Amino acid sequence: MADTASGGSGTRSGSKHATTPADNYYLARRRTLQVVVSSLLTEAGFESAEKAAVETLTEMLQSYISEIGRSAKSYCEHTARTQPTLSDIVVTLVEMAPVTNQPVTPKALTAGQNKPHPSHIPGHFPEFPDPHTYIKTPTYREPVSDYQVLREKAASQRRDVERALTRFMAKTGETQSLFKDDVSTFPLIAARPFTVPYLTALLPSELEMQQMEETDSSEQDDQTDTENLPLHMSTDDSGPEKENASVLQQNTSLSGSRNGEENVIDNPYLRPVKKPKIRRKK
Amino acid sequence: MNRKKGDKGFESPRPYKLTHQVVCINNINFQRKSVVGYVELTIFPTVANLNRIKLNSKQCRIYRVRVNDLEAAFIYNDPTLEVCHHESKQRNLNYFSNAYAAAVSAVDPDAGNGELCIKVPSELWKHVDELKVLKVHINFSLDQPKGGLHFVVPNMEGSMAERGAHVFSCGYQNSTRFWFPCVDSYSELCTWKLEYTVDAAMVAVSNGDLVETVYTHDMRKKTFHYMLTIPTAASNISLAIGPFEILVDPYMHEVTHFCLPQLLPLLKHTTSYLHEVFEFYEEILTCRYPYSCFKTVFIDEAYVEVAAYASMSIFSTNLLHSAMIIDETPLTRRCLAQALAQQFFGCFISRMSWSDEWVLKGISGYIYGLWMKKTFGVNEYRHWIKQELDQIVAYELKTGGVLLHPIFGGGKEKDNPASHLHFSIKHPHTLSWEYYTMFQCKAHLVMRLIENRISMEFMLQVFNKLLSLASTASSQKFQSHMWSQMLVSTSGFLKSISNVSGKDIQPLIKQWVDQSGVVKFYGSFAFNRKRNVLELEIKQDYTSPGTQKYVGPLKVTVQELDGSFNHTLQIEENSLKHDIPCHSKSRRNKKKKIPLMNGEEVDMDLSAMDADSPLLWIRIDPDMSVLRKVEFEQSDFMWQYQLRYERDVVAQEEAILALEKFPTPASRLALTDILEQEQCFYRVRMLACFCLAKIANSMVSTWTGPPAMKSLFTRMFCCKTCPNIVKTNNFMNFQSYFLQKTMPVAMALLRDVHNLCPKEVLMFILDLIKYNDNRKNKFSDNYYRAELIDALANSVTPAVSVNNEVRTLDNLNPDVRLILEEITRFLNMEKLLPSYRHTITVSCLKAIRVLQKNGHVPSDPALFKSYAEYGHFIDVRIAALEAVVDYTKVDRSYEELQWLLTMVQNDPVPYIRHKILDMLTKNPPFTKNMESPLCNEALVDQLWKLMNSGTSHDWRLRCGAVDLYFTLFGLSRPSCLPLPELGLVLNLKEKKAVLNPTIIPESVASNQEPVNSTNNHGQSVGFQNTFSNSQEEEEIDMDTVHDSQAFIYHHLNMLERPSTPGTSKEQSSGEMNMHPVSAAPLSVFSKESNSSKHSDHHHHHHHEHKKKKKKHKHKHKHKHKHDNKEKEKDPFAFSNSPASARSIRSPSLSD
């Protein structure tokens, strides 16, 4: 039955090409099913049908039968058999429950009587939950909430993780030792030079970076209160330039004469690089 | 240096004036570390017969020189490449220092000298006589420069830009000659045009305004065009090229910051503060920042942390930090502020001569101090002043004095103001680095003394006047005589002060500027109850080295029951005792509060006082208005009162130091109270921690309660509910952060009766480490954790060793095992989560060395050597190197010493090379008069070679080598050298017998030459080297035929010559570089007139022989004159060259 499925996809792509025996079987089955569908349709009183409609129905029928087969096979294999029996088919059919039957919602387990609505609650509101949902079951031990224990736990946990991690690193890589006679008690991961040593030394780790972002944003919040808004603004933004200019006016430091008019930062390092002049005279 | 510094202003030592210089670097090759370019100097002759132009140039290979488009001959001679020629057995430092000073003099631009001498073509002589402009065009290249220009090229895949390769100029004082030919003086100002063609992915940052950036035709490179219209000295020209990230300062768009790739976020944070420094300086100086733009560049492998140049500063990239870092922030801001102060004084205003350097360093240091006061507060400022004062005092007492304004008379040895030093202070390039650091420190302290005298207002007016004069002068075009207004001189500065303030500060200048030394006071007192008078005795020590006698006013503050009173005593020659009337009667009125100096009134518990005396405490020179050390005696309770109630942090710190000598419960209480007082300055509290530890150790038998500071720390930093657990970190309050960091370090110094660190303290520190939790902290805890490791190291005491057993794991002390466990974990975690600046690795390495030294762990340098390798972060390397240096000393290891010295010669980072020598000097493997297996002839030779020729590319390094040599062997002949075989040397030529010069330290090397002669070389094995040299020269000297042969020979040699003569080993000692026009040597050769060719040549020989036979010298001079009668005014004798200067000065025994 699995063959059918794979055969089906095979034909779709290569139907117009030379046929193989598998294709032939497939076409034969298909034709048979088409005949079945057509006769059922005639039985049902149809005089004619569009080809597409017949094809669709054929497809549905084929799928349904395939599914019964696949499912039955599964049940059969589930019980460690290779030969399907009738019961497999029955279970399958039950499972695939004909669509027409409305599923019966199983009655929820009830325990005791639900509390009736008080008078101020309209009757169409849902009922109160079952009484057992109100029952408390105390655990037999208090959860650890003692600060000291928590801190101790956290500390030793971290320490264990660190030790395990570094020991692992030391075991898997090169090591150095402080004692010539013993290389395992205090294994030191060997010092390895960097190609660009300042990067690891200066840049915060990712963990710290996260913390820093939080810090930064909180700083920024502080600054919205004051006038120093553009502190963290990148300079290639052209939007808040006016604020920039006003800050510059306040700090009369450098831009004495040019304030106000300055809307675009004129920094020589931001200017575009010029194209070379056409062939200078030599 | 016969310069007059009168009212007329500046007189140039050169026979011409430089007005403009073009520097064009066409090509920079990072792979080969080479640079190709040209310079063009526009000069105006100031004398009619100018025929030679002397310029500075080192390392550069010069291809071609043209003057006004005419090919010009030139000679290159740099006596500093090899200070003492010929393998003399002279190995004493006196001899070397004199020769080195003479060599530096011989090329000193401030004396009109230079390494490069260009002959003005004869066709232009007429032109010159009319004093018309000359354009000197020099094509040069640099190949693998060892100094001046530093290449950083990481060894990895990718293009140079992707690798973050960069290059920058660097050096100590005027070092620009290392990367292009120039007049490398701070006093020769001119305007500049700078052009750099670099890879399109790179940025070239240099001085002045970036006019434009243009692609080359192939669009693969860009040319950066800079114009610097403010007249600037070549020594203030700088360059940095690299794939920099660019940040325009959001507050000041004229300010641009540059950093290496990936560091932009750090750059943003680090420089976000700079505008405030700008505002501050502009406000106090009432003067705009003098340049139209400012650039900061942060680079790796920096020579110094901060280097200021005209309109730009070069910083170490390691100053960059994120917002999470506490400790680095003030340090970096201080560096930025220092750099900016030097923009005004040092770059914009330059100095007339080396002896005026103190004015610039003084002013920039002084205004930087004002910035400190404003930014960090008065307490921090006073603490800093005290610290600087203590430093300079200690240094001067140790070495014998720092002279700010050296004036040199007729060049007689007797007049040498620095005869106590092992180096000459006549030139910046001969100074020990430590001396120079202390020099700067003293300069700003003296400026502060001047401020005390004339008031800050006048002081700032003087600065403003200097700046406005300079700024007017700078806008004058081509009126070069005006430009000298931009140079500051000592006399000009003093004149300005007297004009502005109307005060005579001459005595002050004489005392602190024209004279070296500090004052040493000893004070004690007695209270005379009958007369109600305080009898104060103040003695001085002015005979020890580094001291001087002080005469003049001295302020004394006496805190009495009735209040605080200032008295000004006159310190005179013979009066030691001073009677000071007291205001209060000794009866005390207990109800009254006691008024303090600042007007505050406080309640005091007066029970500790002497019932008969109204004196609470006495302070001598409380404002630090004398450069002094005070040792004052007063009783312990007075120090305790001073600590508790005096509001000046300096007084508090002095009291803390004094209390170390009084280990009593009362001292303990006073210190504990200070520790707990949150209003108290945090540095005072930190200092109190260490004092408390010392007192506790002295009181160990009577000490009660828990170990010192433990309960205090618990109360301040531990959880209320569980006092053994420290709170999770929150460093928002910096004061308590610093205290939290320091207290464990101090506690670890506690010792019990067995002189061991109490177990309780060790466990306490281990718990701090265990429970350290930084998750909720806004700040990084790397410094805190590092100090906890320092604390562990402090707790280590010497191992009890039985019969020198070998240290193994089995006999490891259990406490040490715990410590090692922590160190191992920390050091390993650093590999996974490295801390900022690897502070934790640094502390771990130090701790491991402590364990080794105390005999817990086998002493072994292998670990440190691996961390010291190139490629580790610089702080880590230095910590590791320090351990190796210490190991070398303790284990007397020849192998490690050699390893260190090899690194001094070969390490790619100049700072590391310098630092190793510095550390070896501070922690020497042996000193003179000490028996050591390390002290042998080979080492003497090696170090001698290092300072004589191995370090010619770096002034600082050479002076470092000199310092080390001095520490190891002293001034005279090293004791480990074998005695010379002959006591007498026969001088065959002069038919005299002289004492062998090798055993006379002061004698002159030339004395040994007479033994040599071409006929009998091989006579003495020891002199063979010299022989071969002199023989070669002898031949050249024969006659004109030989002359020209040798000349051609030289020419041919020249083409294959390495560009850096000093670095080449094959180069014979006396050889001189005469660079002809390399393009067509022969044609030029024929073009040149015979006489001029000869003159060049003879000059050449003349120089080589200057320290040789007098006879020859004489002959040369004669020839010379003969050949160049008409034109040669200056016979072109290198009278300043080392040997000649020496022979003039020092008396030769043979004469």
Side-chain angles (χ1 to χ4, degrees):
Chain A
M1 267 155 263
D3 289 352
T4 358
S6 68
S9 65
T11 36
R12 240 164 253 154
S13 57
S15 59
K16 286 184 183 168
H17 299 286
T19 50
T20 63
D23 290 339
N24 286 339
Y25 282 124
Y26 174 79
L27 289 173
R29 281 200 296 270
R30 187 85 175 176
R31 229 173 291 129
T32 316
L33 284 175
Q34 226 160 25
V35 170
V36 173
V37 168
S38 305
S39 57
L40 280 171
L41 285 176
T42 322
E43 244 172 70
F46 289 97
E47 284 179 1
S48 66
E50 278 180 30
K51 190 154 193 251
V54 177
E55 279 293 326
T56 309
L57 286 169
T58 311
E59 186 72 36
M60 283 171 71
L61 184 61
Q62 189 178 359
S63 307
Y64 189 67
I65 295 171
S66 301
E67 181 55 26
I68 289 173
R70 194 198 60 77
S71 207
K73 183 170 181 262
S74 299
Y75 281 112
C76 150
E77 284 170 356
H78 183 65
T79 42
R81 283 177 280 106
T82 51
Q83 290 288 318
T85 58
L86 180 65
S87 58
D88 290 333
I89 306 295
V90 171
V91 175
T92 302
L93 288 173
V94 169
E95 185 61 23
M96 291 178 66
V99 211
T100 44
N101 291 3
Q102 271 299 328
V104 184
T105 37
K107 233 185 163 27
L109 186 72
T110 52
Q113 284 290 308
N114 289 355
K115 228 165 67 176
H117 280 161
S119 55
H120 58 273
I121 295 180
H124 61 271
F125 270 54
E127 286 182 347
F128 276 113
D130 289 347
H132 75 268
T133 59
Y134 292 95
I135 294 171
K136 275 188 278 185
T137 322
T139 52
Y140 53 93
R141 214 169 68 179
E142 284 274 316
V144 194
S145 63
D146 183 26
Y147 183 73
Q148 182 172 352
V149 178
L150 276 180
R151 283 293 299 274
E152 252 160 34
K153 253 195 172 162
S156 48
Q157 215 164 43
R158 198 192 53 197
R159 173 171 293 237
D160 291 345
V161 169
E162 286 183 2
R163 189 174 306 160
L165 193 60
T166 51
R167 293 228 156 206
F168 172 75
M169 294 287 292
K171 282 233 168 83
T172 49
E174 240 181 281
T175 55
Q176 288 163 316
S177 174
L178 298 173
F179 296 90
K180 288 221 167 69
D181 57 332
D182 183 301
V183 286
S184 59
T185 315
F186 299 109
L188 295 173
I189 302 173
R192 243 180 327 120
F194 305 89
T195 41
V196 185
Y198 59 85
L199 284 181
T200 45
L202 300 180
L203 284 174
S205 67
E206 260 174 55
L207 189 83
E208 288 176 313
M209 205 83 106
Q210 270 178 352
Q211 275 177 300
M212 193 162 67
E213 267 162 34
E214 288 160 25
T215 319
D216 260 10
S217 57
S218 64
E219 266 179 15
Q220 221 152 12
D221 288 346
D222 293 342
Q223 269 147 10
T224 27
D225 300 337
T226 66
E227 292 158 317
N228 297 337
L229 186 66
L231 181 66
H232 291 272
M233 190 197 62
S234 80
T235 44
D236 40 16
D237 279 2
S238 51
E241 276 321 315
K242 280 178 188 169
E243 281 158 15
N244 244 346
S246 69
V247 168
L248 282 168
Q249 268 175 325
Q250 286 162 15
N251 320 329
T252 48
S253 54
L254 277 176
S255 58
S257 57
R258 286 193 281 155
N259 53 20
E261 298 163 18
E262 190 176 33
N263 278 326
V264 180
I265 298 177
D266 181 32
N267 183 292
Y269 294 94
L270 301 183
R271 283 179 213 147
V273 182
K274 291 184 186 167
K275 295 274 158 60
K277 287 169 200 156
I278 311 152
R279 290 294 161 196
R280 286 178 200 160
K281 286 165 201 165
K282 283 187 179 174
Chain B
M1 286 211 192
N2 302 324
R3 189 171 312 138
K4 288 169 196 163
K5 280 182 230 94
D7 294 353
K8 283 181 188 169
F10 180 64
E11 278 179 35
S12 171
R14 271 165 292 281
Y16 58 85
K17 175 72 192 101
L18 177 66
T19 59
H20 182 71
Q21 181 163 356
V22 178
V23 178
C24 174
I25 289 182
N26 305 317
N27 192 12
I28 294 194
N29 188 329
F30 279 92
Q31 196 70 56
R32 291 196 49 205
K33 299 187 179 169
S34 67
V35 164
V36 180
Y38 70 83
V39 293
E40 191 178 270
L41 297 91
T42 308
I43 62 173
F44 285 90
T46 50
V47 294
N49 53 2
L50 173 77
N51 56 2
R52 293 182 194 278
I53 299 163
K54 287 187 189 172
L55 296 176
N56 294 109
S57 172
K58 268 172 155 305
Q59 291 187 129
C60 303
R61 184 205 302 252
I62 292 172
Y63 291 108
R64 186 181 193 194
V65 177
R66 281 173 297 165
V67 180
N68 286 10
D69 292 328
L70 291 166
E71 302 291 347
F74 59 96
I75 304 168
Y76 183 85
N77 170 45
D78 185 359
T80 66
L81 290 182
E82 186 173 13
V83 175
C84 301
H85 298 280
H86 48 75
E87 270 304 309
S88 81
K89 288 283 165 191
Q90 200 92 1
R91 285 288 185 257
N92 75 74
L93 197 56
N94 255 332
Y95 171 74
F96 177 85
S97 285
N98 287 336
Y100 181 40
V104 171
S105 245
V107 293
D108 184 12
D110 281 341
N113 297 327
E115 295 87 356
L116 182 67
C117 182
I118 297 164
K119 202 172 168 298
V120 178
S122 52
E123 294 91 323
L124 289 170
W125 288 354
K126 199 155 173 286
H127 182 84
V128 169
D129 285 345
E130 291 160 16
L131 302 184
K132 281 189 183 157
V133 64
L134 293 178
K135 295 218 172 196
V136 182
H137 188 103
I138 305 172
N139 290 71
F140 72 97
S141 75
L142 266 177
D143 203 21
Q144 313 227 349
K146 290 187 84 184
L149 210 56
H150 184 64
F151 282 89
V152 181
V153 185
N155 185 14
M156 57 199 262
E157 294 294 306
S159 73
M160 283 300 164
E162 285 158 3
R163 294 197 221 174
H166 56 286
V167 62
F168 58 93
S169 61
C170 59
Y172 162 48
Q173 285 276 330
N174 39 342
S175 295
T176 308
R177 64 183 91 170
F178 282 96
W179 60 287
F180 66 80
C182 59
V183 180
D184 196 7
S185 158
Y186 284 99
S187 62
E188 189 70 47
L189 308 180
C190 69
T191 55
W192 294 81
K193 167 86 179 70
L194 307 156
E195 282 178 45
Y196 308 101
T197 303
V198 302
D199 194 276
M202 300 251 185
V203 184
V205 188
S206 190
N207 318 87
D209 292 306
L210 176 63
V211 182
E212 56 176 3
T213 317
V214 186
Y215 277 115
T216 52
H217 288 286
D218 58 4
M219 302 290 280
R220 288 161 70 179
K221 288 183 172 183
K222 300 191 274 198
T223 306
F224 286 78
H225 294 267
Y226 284 91
M227 288 283 276
L228 181 57
T229 50
I230 290 179
T232 301
S235 315
N236 277 324
I237 296 297
S238 61
L239 167 68
I241 298 173
F244 298 124
E245 305 212 28
I246 301 172
L247 172 72
V248 176
D249 195 289
Y251 291 92
M252 308 167 289
H253 297 169
E254 299 82 348
V255 177
T256 319
H257 311 292
F258 301 87
C259 68
L260 292 163
Q262 301 182 50
L263 300 177
L264 191 62
L266 304 186
L267 183 72
K268 269 187 190 163
H269 177 77
T270 308
T271 57
S272 62
Y273 172 75
L274 188 70
H275 66 281
E276 290 188 33
V277 190
F278 263 98
E279 279 167 45
F280 177 78
Y281 286 143
E282 292 186 342
E283 197 178 312
I284 61 160
L285 298 170
T286 48
C287 170
R288 291 266 301 272
Y289 173 70
Y291 299 98
S292 52
C293 63
F294 182 57
K295 289 141 285 187
T296 66
V297 193
F298 291 82
I299 44 81
D300 190 25
E301 298 183 8
Y303 188 83
V304 280
E305 280 197 317
V306 188
Y309 301 97
S311 83
M312 76 181 270
S313 287
I314 297 180
F315 297 94
S316 161
T317 194
N318 304 330
L319 294 175
L320 295 175
H321 58 85
S322 69
M324 302 175 66
I325 305 301
I326 298 175
D327 300 49
E328 185 59 39
T329 310
L331 301 178
T332 298
R333 290 187 177 180
R334 285 166 77 153
C335 287
L336 290 174
Q338 259 172 335
L340 207 49
Q342 287 173 23
Q343 286 292 310
F344 292 90
F345 295 95
C347 297
F348 180 61
I349 293 192
S350 189
R351 67 175 192 231
M352 246 180 222
S353 71
W354 162 238
S355 58
D356 306 314
E357 168 81 348
W358 76 275
V359 180
L360 290 175
K361 287 292 174 218
I363 300 178
S364 59
Y366 169 78
I367 59 174
Y368 160 70
L370 295 182
W371 169 84
M372 287 253 295
K373 199 195 288 187
K374 181 240 164 195
T375 309
F376 299 118
V378 175
N379 285 347
E380 178 74 30
Y381 173 74
R382 286 187 68 86
H383 168 82
W384 175 66
I385 292 287
K386 173 75 165 70
Q387 208 177 20
E388 297 274 289
L389 182 62
D390 287 349
Q391 260 187 42
I392 185 74
V393 166
Y395 181 78
E396 294 209 43
L397 293 180
K398 185 183 88 187
T399 60
V402 171
L403 183 61
L404 288 184
H405 183 50
I407 306 168
F408 302 96
K412 287 173 203 158
E413 283 296 321
K414 285 174 211 159
D415 297 342
N416 185 357
S419 51
H420 54 278
L421 296 168
H422 59 277
F423 48 84
S424 160
I425 59 165
K426 216 168 157 181
H427 302 280
H429 297 151
T430 54
L431 284 195
S432 155
W433 182 254
E434 196 187 4
Y435 182 92
Y436 184 60
T437 319
M438 286 300 121
F439 174 92
Q440 297 176 57
C441 164
K442 188 169 185 176
H444 81 77
L445 287 173
V446 168
M447 277 303 156
R448 190 177 154 273
L449 298 189
I450 298 176
E451 180 224 76
N452 282 350
R453 179 64 66 82
I454 68 167
S455 86
M456 193 205 288
E457 196 192 337
F458 282 142
M459 198 74 175
L460 294 176
Q461 275 182 35
V462 171
F463 300 161
N464 176 267
K465 199 177 156 190
L466 293 175
L467 284 169
S468 13
L469 271 177
S471 137
T472 319
S474 71
S475 54
Q476 306 282 326
K477 300 261 185 267
F478 304 122
Q479 279 180 288
S480 37
H481 61 280
M482 275 291 284
W483 290 350
S484 65
Q485 299 276 2
M486 301 177 72
L487 303 177
V488 80
S489 70
T490 306
S491 58
F493 172 67
L494 297 180
K495 200 157 169 263
S496 225
I497 286 184
S498 90
N499 284 348
V500 168
S501 71
K503 284 186 182 148
D504 175 27
I505 60 161
Q506 206 50 51
L508 192 155
I509 296 300
K510 198 172 163 247
Q511 180 122 40
W512 305 119
V513 178
D514 293 339
Q515 190 177 320
S516 70
V518 292
V519 181
K520 222 169 151 185
F521 288 124
Y522 298 95
S524 58
F525 76 99
F527 177 68
N528 187 326
R529 192 149 62 107
K530 272 186 192 162
R531 294 165 57 213
N532 196 26
V533 155
L534 162 65
E535 294 167 359
L536 191 64
E537 188 184 42
I538 295 178
K539 283 191 261 181
Q540 284 187 52
D541 167 12
Y542 44 81
T543 49
S544 306
T547 56
Q548 59 164 295
K549 190 190 281 178
Y550 179 78
V551 175
L554 185 71
K555 189 167 143 188
V556 173
T557 305
V558 182
Q559 175 70 48
E560 299 178 38
L561 290 172
D562 279 4
S564 187
F565 302 96
N566 287 330
H567 305 272
T568 306
L569 309 180
Q570 276 303 321
I571 303 292
E572 281 154 29
E573 292 276 331
N574 301 315
S575 74
L576 298 172
K577 301 222 171 182
H578 305 268
D579 285 357
I580 298 174
C582 290
H583 299 75
S584 335
K585 291 284 171 200
S586 57
R587 290 177 283 110
R588 56 193 78 135
N589 189 343
K590 276 182 186 164
K591 282 158 208 162
K592 253 196 187 168
K593 288 188 170 189
I594 294 168
L596 299 179
M597 187 48 110
N598 60 357
E600 210 180 321
E601 297 203 337
V602 291
D603 283 316
M604 289 187 204
D605 172 17
L606 298 173
S607 55
M609 271 181 83
D610 179 356
D612 293 335
S613 150
L615 302 170
L616 283 164
W617 65 83
I618 300 163
R619 297 186 63 204
I620 295 183
D621 186 28
D623 299 329
M624 298 177 281
S625 46
V626 178
L627 303 186
R628 85 302 190 260
K629 177 188 178 128
V630 179
E631 284 176 24
F632 188 66
E633 285 172 35
Q634 59 182 3
S635 5
D636 56 345
F637 70 85
M638 295 177 82
W639 288 119
Q640 287 151 13
Y641 282 125
Q642 179 171 332
L643 173 59
R644 284 169 188 268
Y645 302 110
E646 170 62 62
R647 295 300 184 231
D648 176 11
V649 293
V650 174
Q652 293 170 358
E653 287 173 352
E654 279 166 358
I656 289 175
L657 288 180
L659 282 178
E660 277 177 20
K661 289 184 218 88
F662 301 100
T664 60
S667 297
R668 175 184 174 182
L669 194 63
L671 288 165
T672 321
D673 286 351
I674 279 292
L675 261 182
E676 283 184 272
Q677 239 182 62
E678 277 176 27
Q679 302 98 305
C680 183
F681 185 47
Y682 75 101
R683 287 188 190 274
V684 172
R685 295 167 80 193
M686 283 160 72
L687 197 64
C689 293
F690 290 98
C691 182
L692 197 53
K694 278 184 194 151
I695 286 188
N697 290 346
S698 307
M699 295 170 65
V700 65
S701 50
T702 57
W703 188 269
T704 50
M709 291 173 275
K710 187 171 178 237
S711 49
L712 200 65
F713 189 95
T714 309
R715 206 173 332 136
M716 290 166 86
F717 303 112
C718 291
C719 303
K720 297 278 174 294
T721 50
C722 36
N724 63 322
I725 296 178
V726 67
K727 285 183 203 161
T728 57
N729 294 339
N730 177 3
F731 297 156
M732 287 297 277
N733 181 337
F734 294 159
Q735 281 91 342
S736 42
Y737 162 69
F738 280 108
L739 207 59
Q740 186 178 359
K741 268 194 335 173
T742 305
M743 245 195 251
V745 180
M747 283 175 73
L749 293 169
L750 292 173
R751 296 292 178 264
D752 62 14
V753 278
H754 308 294
N755 209 20
L756 299 173
C757 182
K759 184 92 179 166
E760 193 183 350
V761 171
L762 178 64
M763 292 332 264
F764 170 76
I765 296 167
L766 287 172
D767 272 353
L768 288 183
I769 294 173
K770 183 176 169 193
Y771 294 116
N772 178 49
D773 185 344
N774 205 48
R775 280 174 298 184
K776 301 245 170 66
N777 199 0
K778 242 179 151 178
F779 299 99
S780 167
D781 65 344
N782 63 308
Y783 286 96
Y784 174 58
R785 283 188 292 153
E787 294 213 24
L788 288 177
I789 301 165
D790 294 344
L792 287 180
N794 273 355
S795 75
V796 174
T797 46
V800 189
S801 134
V802 189
N803 305 331
N804 280 336
E805 57 182 342
V806 184
R807 283 292 141 197
T808 58
L809 261 179
D810 305 328
N811 54 22
L812 194 63
N813 177 318
D815 287 351
V816 173
R817 186 177 280 271
L818 293 173
I819 293 174
L820 261 184
E821 196 106 350
E822 296 300 329
I823 291 173
T824 310
R825 201 169 42 83
F826 269 125
L827 197 54
N828 285 341
M829 277 308 286
E830 276 277 276
K831 305 286 186 305
L832 307 171
L833 280 174
S835 60
Y836 177 71
R837 290 191 79 150
H838 298 325
T839 45
I840 289 163
T841 304
V842 168
S843 287
C844 286
L845 291 178
K846 285 182 178 163
I848 290 174
R849 180 61 199 151
V850 169
L851 287 173
Q852 289 190 353
K853 227 177 157 180
N854 281 290
H856 295 288
V857 170
S859 207
D860 181 7
L863 179 78
F864 304 119
K865 278 159 90 173
S866 71
Y867 277 97
E869 288 298 338
Y870 181 67
H872 286 283
F873 187 66
I874 188 134
D875 294 1
V876 173
R877 295 190 71 194
I878 287 173
L881 284 166
E882 200 165 15
V884 179
V885 167
D886 193 52
Y887 176 87
T888 308
K889 178 191 181 174
V890 174
D891 282 50
R892 297 184 165 193
S893 162
Y894 192 71
E895 191 191 328
E896 264 59 48
L897 184 60
Q898 283 305 319
W899 183 83
L900 286 167
L901 289 176
T902 311
M903 206 176 236
V904 168
Q905 279 161 287
N906 300 333
D907 198 80
V909 185
Y911 183 73
I912 289 285
R913 297 198 292 257
H914 157 71
K915 196 66 191 168
I916 295 174
L917 286 178
D918 182 55
M919 289 188 293
L920 277 172
T921 308
K922 296 216 167 96
N923 192 11
F926 60 92
T927 54
K928 71 170 171 169
N929 307 330
M930 191 193 274
E931 279 295 316
S932 168
L934 301 183
C935 177
N936 60 34
E937 206 176 340
L939 183 70
V940 174
D941 278 347
Q942 191 179 9
L943 278 175
W944 182 269
K945 223 169 156 186
L946 189 66
M947 63 183 191
N948 192 38
S949 56
T951 45
S952 63
H953 51 273
D954 185 348
W955 310 116
R956 179 175 71 176
L957 194 63
R958 175 172 261 167
C959 297
V962 170
D963 284 350
L964 179 60
Y965 195 92
F966 174 69
T967 310
L968 298 184
F969 308 118
L971 273 179
S972 47
R973 188 181 161 81
S975 54
C976 58
L977 292 188
L979 276 176
E981 311 81 43
L982 291 173
L984 284 177
V985 174
L986 280 182
N987 185 331
L988 297 177
K989 292 224 165 160
E990 295 176 24
K991 295 192 172 110
K992 276 180 188 170
V994 294
L995 270 175
N996 189 324
T998 55
I999 47 175
I1000 313 160
E1002 294 294 323
S1003 87
V1004 183
S1006 57
N1007 284 352
Q1008 33 176 270
E1009 295 309 320
V1011 195
N1012 313 333
S1013 93
T1014 38
N1015 305 327
N1016 57 358
H1017 53 94
Q1019 197 177 41
S1020 151
V1021 183
F1023 290 148
Q1024 275 210 337
N1025 263 341
T1026 339
F1027 272 15
S1028 51
N1029 260 348
S1030 64
Q1031 185 191 13
E1032 187 188 309
E1033 286 154 13
E1034 209 83 10
E1035 279 170 5
I1036 298 168
D1037 205 29
M1038 286 303 174
D1039 52 42
T1040 41
V1041 182
H1042 277 118
D1043 270 0
S1044 40
Q1045 276 177 356
F1047 193 52
I1048 293 165
Y1049 166 77
H1050 267 268
H1051 277 214
L1052 294 174
N1053 241 7
M1054 215 51 52
L1055 298 171
E1056 293 148 15
R1057 185 182 305 285
S1059 61
T1060 38
T1063 58
S1064 132
K1065 278 175 191 159
E1066 317 88 62
Q1067 191 118 11
S1068 77
S1069 56
E1071 206 167 30
M1072 167 184 285
N1073 299 333
M1074 270 177 62
H1075 293 250
V1077 182
S1078 61
L1082 284 175
S1083 63
V1084 178
F1085 196 65
S1086 52
K1087 245 191 270 172
E1088 289 260 354
S1089 75
N1090 243 353
S1091 68
S1092 65
K1093 177 186 79 191
H1094 277 222
S1095 82
D1096 260 358
H1097 185 218
H1098 285 170
H1099 152 64
H1100 160 71
H1101 286 289
H1102 171 58
H1103 173 67
E1104 286 187 344
H1105 283 258
K1106 65 211 168 212
K1107 65 256 167 210
K1108 312 252 155 122
K1109 292 167 220 175
K1110 286 190 173 170
K1111 214 174 160 186
H1112 281 284
K1113 200 170 191 172
H1114 191 73
K1115 198 169 86 190
H1116 288 315
K1117 264 188 186 161
H1118 189 69
K1119 255 192 194 170
H1120 233 315
K1121 277 181 187 160
H1122 192 71
D1123 284 345
N1124 309 289
K1125 266 178 203 159
E1126 335 96 64
K1127 205 60 188 175
E1128 291 265 32
K1129 248 196 171 174
D1130 167 22
F1132 206 46
F1134 281 73
S1135 57
N1136 274 324
S1137 64
S1140 57
R1142 198 185 327 113
S1143 51
I1144 290 165
R1145 237 180 264 153
S1146 41
S1148 161
L1149 280 175
S1150 55
D1151 288 345

